[in-house]
Amino acid sequence: PSAAGCKRPRVVLHHNDGLLRENPPTLLVYTLHTLLEEATELLNLGQAARRIFTVHGEEIHSVHELQDNQELVISTAAPFSNLSRRWWNCEQCPRVWLFPNDGGTGPCHPMGSVQVWTLGAMLQAAKAVLHLPKRARRVFLIKSTNAAEAIEVKQITQIKPECKLVISTGQAFIPRDGLAQTIALPRDNKLTLSYSLSAKVPAVEPPHPRARAKTTVPDTTRRWPAGVTRPRVLIYRNDAGKATRCVTCLVHTYRTLLEFATVELSLPRAACKLFLMDGQEVKSIHALRNHQELVASM
C-alpha cells in the first residue's frame, strides 16, 4: 500500500528523566519534524526537542521505525539518560529493598520496597518510601545490611530481583559495618571506648586573640600516609554535649575532615578547628586513632 494509505501510529511521549507521570501525552505521528515540534509543547520542554529514543535507548531516525502505541523518550539534544532506560520485561520488573544512607544507625531491616521500571522512577518512589528531605540522586548496591562497601548503580542492568539498595540524596556511601551504631547513644554511655568521658563535654573556648600568634596552624593539606590503614573518627558539634548525633568519617586530610563536618553536621559556618574530647586541639591527623571522638568548632 502507498504511504498515504498506511495507518499513522499514535505514540506515547516521556521526558528524558525516567520519571513515571500520570496520563503521559499521546500524539498521532505525521512526520518526525512535526513530532518534535508538538512534543516540545506537550511536554513543556524548556528548549526545542531534537532527538527521539525508544524506552530502551535506541534512537529513532525515521517514522517507519515507529509502531502504534509505542512509548518514546524525547530529548532536547542530550544523550539518552540511563535514568530513562526501561527494564527489558515490564511484566517482570524486579522488586528491590531500600535502605537510607545512614551508616547503619537506623533500623536493620529495609524501610520499604519498590518495583524497578526505570532508575528515575525508582529514585522518585524511594524519596517517598524513605521520607527523604531532598530528592534521591544516587543508588548503591550492597550485599548485606551491615556492608562496609557498596557498588554505585549506574545502569538498570546492575539491579537484580530482591537486591538491597542504599539511597542517597547526593552523598557518598556511608559504610554500614556497625562502626556508627553508637552514634545515637549519649556521650556518657559509650562503653566501646578505651577511655572514660564526662557526662557533659564543655564547649571549647577559642584561644585569646593575643595568643593566636603563638599557636601553630594545622597542616590542612597533609595526607594520611599511603599504605597505612586510615582511622575512622566520630565528629560532634561544639555544643557542650547537647546533641547526641555525630557523623563518622575516614581520615584523609585535616581539610576534608573540616569540610565533611561542616556539611554533614549542618553547621551554619565552615568548621575551622577540631578538638579532642578533653579540649586539646588537633594539630595533626597523625595523632588521630581509630574510633576517636572529635569536636568540630567554627
Side-chain angles (χ1 to χ4, degrees):
S2 64
C6 294
K7 179 182 178 181
R8 294 186 178 92
R10 181 173 293 276
V11 296
V12 183
L13 306 178
H14 297 281
H15 291 76
N16 190 25
D17 56 9
L19 301 184
L20 297 182
R21 296 173 173 86
E22 293 185 5
N23 302 320
T26 61
L27 182 64
L28 194 63
V29 178
Y30 291 87
T31 67
L32 289 188
H33 180 72
T34 57
L35 170 60
L36 291 171
E37 284 186 342
E38 295 191 44
T40 302
E41 181 178 352
L42 290 173
L43 295 176
N44 295 319
L45 302 179
Q47 300 176 5
R50 297 182 182 276
R51 303 176 72 178
I52 307 170
F53 300 91
T54 68
V55 293
H56 299 294
E58 300 170 353
E59 190 162 7
I60 299 294
H61 297 284
S62 170
V63 292
H64 301 294
E65 302 175 46
L66 300 177
Q67 300 176 3
D68 197 33
N69 294 326
Q70 186 173 6
E71 295 186 273
L72 301 176
V73 174
I74 307 300
S75 170
T76 58
F80 181 78
S81 171
N82 287 327
L83 297 177
S84 299
R85 191 178 301 277
R86 289 280 182 91
W87 186 258
W88 64 276
N89 185 352
C90 292
E91 296 181 357
Q92 298 179 357
C93 294
R95 180 170 294 277
V96 296
W97 301 98
L98 303 181
F99 297 82
N101 190 30
D102 58 3
T105 59
C108 60
H109 53 80
M111 293 185 62
S113 64
V114 297
Q115 277 192 297
V116 181
W117 293 75
T118 67
L119 289 182
M122 184 192 66
L123 291 172
Q124 181 184 32
K127 181 181 185 300
V129 171
L130 301 177
H131 306 290
L132 300 177
K134 297 187 291 185
R135 173 183 164 190
R137 295 181 180 275
R138 301 175 71 180
V139 185
F140 300 93
L141 177 65
I142 57 175
K143 294 182 178 180
S144 62
T145 57
N146 60 346
E149 298 179 347
I151 300 174
E152 186 164 7
V153 175
K154 296 291 188 180
Q155 300 280 351
I156 196 171
T157 53
Q158 295 176 256
I159 293 179
K160 306 299 180 185
E162 304 297 323
C163 68
K164 301 178 180 65
L165 301 178
V166 172
I167 308 298
S168 163
T169 56
Q171 309 93 332
F173 173 74
I174 301 176
R176 304 175 58 87
D177 52 5
L179 192 59
Q181 291 296 330
T182 58
I183 290 181
L185 295 177
R187 297 185 191 179
D188 54 351
N189 286 339
K190 291 185 177 174
L191 304 179
T192 58
L193 304 178
S194 59
Y195 52 91
S196 60
L197 301 176
S198 61
K200 290 289 183 178
V201 179
V204 180
E205 295 294 336
H208 193 274
R210 296 181 178 177
R212 290 183 181 178
K214 300 180 180 179
T215 59
T216 58
V217 179
D219 187 354
T220 60
T221 60
R222 185 183 297 275
R223 292 183 174 272
W224 192 261
V228 180
T229 302
R230 295 184 178 93
R232 185 182 297 277
V233 294
L234 290 81
I235 308 176
Y236 293 89
R237 295 178 65 131
N238 186 22
D239 58 2
K242 295 178 182 179
T244 59
R245 175 180 171 269
C246 72
V247 294
T248 62
C249 181
L250 277 175
V251 177
H252 293 272
T253 67
Y254 195 96
R255 179 180 299 170
T256 57
L257 286 178
L258 294 174
E259 292 175 349
F260 184 84
T262 301
V263 174
E264 296 301 325
L265 292 176
S266 302
L267 299 180
R269 298 190 305 276
C272 60
K273 291 185 178 182
L274 294 172
F275 296 90
L276 300 177
M277 284 298 181
D278 59 4
Q280 296 183 13
E281 185 177 356
V282 176
K283 297 294 185 181
S284 171
I285 59 173
H286 302 294
L288 300 178
R289 299 294 178 262
N290 202 27
H291 298 194
Q292 196 162 18
E293 294 186 313
L294 306 176
V295 173
S297 176
M298 297 176 289

